[in-house]
Amino acid sequence: MSLSRPKNTVATRAPGRTLAAWWQAAPLTAVFVLFFLIPLALILMVSFWDFNEYELLPGFTFKNYLAIFDGCGNTGELCVTFKTYLSTFKFSFLVWLITLLTGFAVSYFLAFHVRSSGVQTLLFVLCTIPFWTSNVIRMISWVPLLGRNGLVNQSLLGLGAVDTPVEWLLFSDFSVVLAFVHLYTMFMIVPIFNSMMRIDRSLLEAASDSGASSWQTLWNVIVPLCRTGIIIGSIFVITIVMGDFVTIGVMGGQQIASIGKIIQVQTSYLQFPLAAANAVILLSIVLMIIWALTRLVDIRKEL
C-alpha cells in the first residue's frame, strides 16, 4: 500500500488579483497623498523658513521653534506658550468629559430603553438636527440667551434670583465649554451608540441571572464592550477642540487664548513660518494623544 504525499493546499495568489487590488487602492492613496501628506510636508518645510515684514525667506533655521518657547526657562512662572497650551488642554479635557458623560447617557437610553427601532431612528435623527445649520449660527444663537440683557439674565432678574445681570454667562470659559459641548457631543454619541447596538443582549441577561446589579452590569459588561466607541469618540472630540479657534474667538469674545487661535492670528499677520512651527508642535501633541488612546484598544480589530 503506497502513501501519496499530501498536496500543497496553499493557493498561490494570482498576479492579476494583486494588480487589481493595487488599482482599487490607487484613488484613495492619491487623495491621501495629495490632500494630506503633501500639505503636511509643505507646512513642515515652511516652519524652518525665515521671514520679515515683506516676504518669506526660504532656508533652514530653528528660529521659529526657539521663538515659540522664548523666555519659558528664564522666569519662575509659566511662559505664554505653556499657559496657552494649558488653557487648550483644559478646554479639551472639560469638553471631552462632558461630551463623554452626555453621549454615553444618550446612547444608553437609545440602545437599551427604546425598544422600537422606528422610535430609535426618530430620536437619533432628532440628535442630528443641530448639524443641519452651520457652526457659526449655532454659536451666535447663544448670544441672545446668555448676554447681559439676554433671556437667561432677564429671567433670573424677573424671578429675583439675582440683583444684577450675571457677567460670566457669555464671553467666558463657561460659554466656550458650553458651545463646544453643543457643537461636538454628536461626535461622541454616534460611535458609542454604534458600539452599544452591537452588544449581544444575551450577555446582559446572563449578568442579570448571575445576580449582578444594574450598575455592575453597566460597569463590567456594557462599558468594556463600548470601549471602541468611547475611544473613537474621544479622538474626534479631542482633536477637533485642540485645533479649534472659531468657537473660542466667538464665544470667548476674542479674550481667551488657545493654540489654534494663536496660529490663526499669526497667519493673519502673514507670519507663516511661525504659524507653521506652532502647527507642527500642535500636530505632534495631537498625534501623541491619538497614539496613547489607540494603545487602549485595537480599533482596526474591533471595527
Side-chain angles (χ1 to χ4, degrees):
M1 182 176 180
S2 61
L3 298 177
S4 60
R5 297 180 61 182
K7 297 180 180 180
N8 187 7
T9 58
V10 179
T12 304
R13 183 173 298 177
R17 294 182 59 184
T18 304
L19 184 61
W22 279 105
W23 277 110
Q24 291 174 358
L28 182 59
T29 303
V31 171
F32 180 76
V33 172
L34 183 62
F35 295 103
F36 185 75
L37 293 183
I38 292 179
L40 285 183
L42 291 175
I43 291 174
L44 181 63
M45 179 180 67
V46 172
S47 69
F48 292 104
W49 288 7
D50 200 355
F51 67 98
N52 54 33
E53 292 87 352
Y54 310 104
E55 61 181 345
L56 300 179
L57 304 174
F60 186 84
T61 177
F62 288 100
K63 173 183 175 181
N64 301 308
Y65 291 94
L66 295 177
I68 292 174
F69 298 100
D70 185 27
C72 289
N74 300 331
T75 59
E77 61 181 11
L78 294 176
C79 63
V80 175
T81 299
F82 287 160
K83 288 181 179 178
T84 306
Y85 270 101
L86 287 178
S87 175
T88 305
F89 290 146
K90 176 187 69 176
F91 287 126
S92 297
F93 175 76
L94 290 175
V95 174
W96 168 78
L97 182 61
I98 297 173
T99 55
L100 175 60
L101 296 177
T102 305
F104 192 91
V106 172
S107 301
Y108 182 84
F109 174 78
L110 291 177
F112 298 108
H113 288 277
V114 179
R115 302 299 182 183
S116 172
S117 59
V119 177
Q120 276 184 345
T121 303
L122 176 62
L123 294 178
F124 189 82
V125 170
L126 289 177
C127 293
T128 65
I129 287 179
F131 284 83
W132 297 358
T133 58
S134 90
N135 287 5
V136 176
I137 294 177
R138 282 184 282 164
M139 284 185 288
I140 295 177
S141 66
W142 285 105
V143 176
L145 293 176
L146 304 179
R148 180 179 177 85
N149 297 316
L151 181 62
V152 175
N153 270 317
Q154 293 299 320
S155 299
L156 293 175
L157 291 171
L159 295 174
V162 295
D163 297 327
T164 59
V166 181
E167 301 288 346
W168 53 263
L169 290 178
L170 189 62
F171 303 143
S172 61
D173 290 355
F174 169 79
S175 61
V176 171
V177 173
L178 180 63
F180 273 138
V181 172
H182 176 211
L183 294 175
Y184 303 131
T185 299
M186 197 63 189
F187 287 95
M188 191 70 77
I189 293 176
V190 172
I192 295 179
F193 177 71
N194 180 62
S195 295
M196 287 185 176
M197 291 302 295
R198 297 171 58 187
I199 295 177
D200 189 352
R201 291 335 190 235
S202 62
L203 296 176
L204 306 182
E205 296 177 1
S208 178
D209 294 340
S210 300
S213 64
S214 300
W215 284 106
Q216 289 175 328
T217 302
L218 175 66
W219 184 253
N220 296 314
V221 179
I222 297 177
V223 171
L225 293 176
C226 293
R227 186 171 54 180
T228 301
I230 292 174
I231 295 299
I232 294 176
S234 300
I235 291 175
F236 284 155
V237 172
I238 292 175
T239 54
I240 294 174
V241 174
M242 287 286 289
D244 188 284
F245 63 90
V246 176
T247 306
I248 290 181
V250 174
M251 300 304 295
Q254 308 297 335
Q255 302 173 7
I256 299 176
S258 70
I259 298 301
K261 187 63 179 176
I262 288 179
I263 295 174
Q264 184 263 332
V265 171
Q266 291 170 342
T267 303
S268 65
Y269 283 102
L270 304 181
Q271 299 174 346
F272 294 112
L274 194 57
N278 265 311
V280 170
I281 295 174
L282 177 61
L283 177 62
S284 301
I285 294 175
V286 171
L287 289 178
M288 286 189 290
I289 294 175
I290 294 175
W291 178 85
L293 290 174
T294 53
R295 294 304 93 190
L296 300 176
V297 61
D298 188 352
I299 296 178
R300 293 177 298 177
K301 182 179 179 181
E302 295 290 337
L303 291 179

